Amino acid sequence: MLALWIFLYLLAAFCIASGILSWKISGMLLHPKIWDYSAVVDEEEKRGHYTRAWFESECHLEEFTLRSQYGYDLHCALWPRSEGAAFADGKRRVAVIAHGYTYCLLGSIKYARIFHDLGFDCVLYDQRNHGLSGKAPTTMGYFESRDLSLVCDWALERFGSDAVIGTHGESMGAATVMLHAPQYPKLSFVIEDCGYSSLFEQVRHNIRTSFHLPNVPFVPLSNLFFRLRGGVFYGQVAPVEAVKQCGKLPMLFIHGEEDTFVPYEMVHVNYAAKPEPKEIRTFPGAAHAKSLSSDPDGYRACVKAFLEHAGVL
């Protein structure tokens, strides 16, 4: 009898501990500790992407706010094209850029600079629950992709319905642009950098590698809590399924070959799922979200070549 009570006690303790840990895992996704906005420019300078002096003298952002259909404000910024920049067809070129998990639009400037140098107007924004945007559970791309449609709509209103518009996203932002792509037929291109193919598989991977826990019971329990707290199951955040629906849309897949956070293999899963037209570029030695910093010239060159092949330039 004593042995039975000990077993039941241990089982109850395991269930309680599993529930608490799973709740915390879902909370880390839904309510991440975000970067302090005022620190991001200095962090970008430390990472070698741009300097504060350059940012303050050359990057002239026009800030504005959009109201999400989900009841919060999205903090956005326009970096207008350089004076005199124009294309032969007279149409504006617009790049809308989505930042990664815990970051903000100031972290997207390093990518916007590539497009700006090519004559684009660049629209950056803080995803929900990040930066200066309103608070709402982070859904790792699901509801964020709906907000991206709002930002794209604003850009087409500003620059004309005939503007050539595309998206670029890093990490969670990459998942956002992939999930958004089949929802928005006006897109002319999409570039995803180090995005996961499936949130379910991403969580499975991180529970093993970051928390050193078994997938059972922590994946199913945290999945349930993610749905109860955020309104979405992990399985609904599946960029690989979204890109299957983008048969005519040119898409560039970028990933660092030493990425162990979002596993390098995921870029090949996403690329294989996408029908033509598509391109892929991987960067040897690059860790997560470090492809640009690992080879700035190579990154810019592959983006420019992709845009030329897609008929955007």
Side-chain angles (χ1 to χ4, degrees):
M1 182 61 71
L2 178 60
L4 177 60
W5 279 109
I6 292 174
F7 171 77
L8 292 174
Y9 174 80
L10 293 175
L11 179 61
F14 175 77
C15 291
I16 292 169
S18 297
I20 291 171
L21 283 172
S22 298
W23 182 269
K24 288 186 175 181
I25 290 168
S26 69
M28 289 177 65
L29 295 172
L30 293 162
H31 304 289
K33 183 179 179 182
I34 63 171
W35 275 83
D36 183 276
Y37 207 81
S38 62
V40 172
V41 171
D42 292 332
E43 179 64 21
E44 288 293 289
E45 181 167 28
K46 188 188 305 182
R47 296 180 185 184
H49 293 142
Y50 58 83
T51 65
R52 177 170 287 278
W54 173 88
F55 171 72
E56 292 176 348
S57 63
E58 301 294 332
C59 185
H60 305 296
L61 300 180
E62 300 174 8
E63 296 179 87
F64 61 97
T65 300
L66 297 175
R67 188 69 174 174
S68 170
Q69 63 179 304
Y70 302 112
Y72 47 83
D73 289 336
L74 290 173
H75 173 242
C76 311
L78 168 66
W79 187 7
R81 69 182 184 179
S82 299
E83 187 175 343
F87 293 88
D89 60 7
K91 298 177 182 179
R92 302 291 278 261
R93 302 299 193 269
V94 184
V96 181
I97 304 176
H99 64 78
Y101 178 69
T102 76
Y103 226 31
C104 69
L105 68 80
L106 297 176
S108 298
I109 290 172
K110 56 184 173 287
Y111 300 114
R113 192 174 184 179
I114 298 171
F115 293 99
H116 193 262
D117 288 347
L118 294 172
F120 282 66
D121 294 281
C122 299
V123 182
L124 308 89
Y125 72 107
D126 292 329
Q127 301 206 63
R128 59 191 265 164
N129 208 33
H130 287 70
L132 302 181
S133 286
K135 299 302 179 184
T138 298
T139 58
M140 304 304 291
Y142 187 83
F143 290 118
E144 289 82 357
S145 68
R146 276 69 169 175
D147 287 340
L148 179 52
S149 287
L150 176 65
V151 180
C152 289
D153 284 345
W154 178 90
L156 291 176
E157 255 185 60
R158 172 70 181 261
F159 299 112
S161 59
D162 64 343
V164 178
I165 188 170
T167 57
H168 178 293
E170 174 193 85
S171 192
M172 184 185 77
T176 298
V177 302
M178 285 189 281
L179 290 164
H180 171 256
Q183 304 173 35
Y184 207 81
K186 298 174 185 177
L187 291 175
S188 294
F189 68 90
V190 171
I191 300 174
E192 75 87 15
D193 184 333
C194 64
Y196 35 88
S197 56
S198 157
L199 181 59
F200 185 84
E201 293 301 326
Q202 181 65 37
V203 173
R204 279 170 52 89
H205 170 76
N206 291 138
I207 280 178
R208 290 195 311 270
T209 59
S210 299
F211 299 101
H212 308 290
L213 295 170
N215 285 319
V216 178
F218 298 103
V219 172
L221 277 177
S222 64
N223 188 21
L224 175 61
F225 293 144
F226 193 73
R227 172 64 178 82
L228 293 174
R229 303 171 73 185
V232 182
F233 284 115
Y234 293 155
Q236 293 175 260
V237 187
V240 67
E241 297 300 323
V243 301
K244 289 178 181 178
Q245 305 171 47
C246 301
K248 297 181 180 179
L249 178 63
M251 190 174 292
L252 172 61
F253 298 84
I254 296 173
H255 218 100
E257 295 182 11
E258 297 303 317
D259 191 342
T260 57
F261 185 76
V262 174
Y264 168 62
E265 295 76 17
M266 285 191 173
V267 71
H268 295 288
V269 173
N270 285 328
Y271 180 75
K274 169 71 172 70
E276 295 287 352
K278 59 184 178 180
E279 297 183 22
I280 187 170
R281 173 65 191 272
T282 62
F283 287 81
H288 184 63
K290 295 293 191 295
S291 291
L292 175 59
S293 57
S294 74
D295 184 1
D297 291 338
Y299 197 104
R300 294 188 188 97
C302 82
V303 169
K304 182 180 180 182
F306 165 72
L307 294 173
E308 289 172 344
H309 298 159
V312 174
L313 294 180

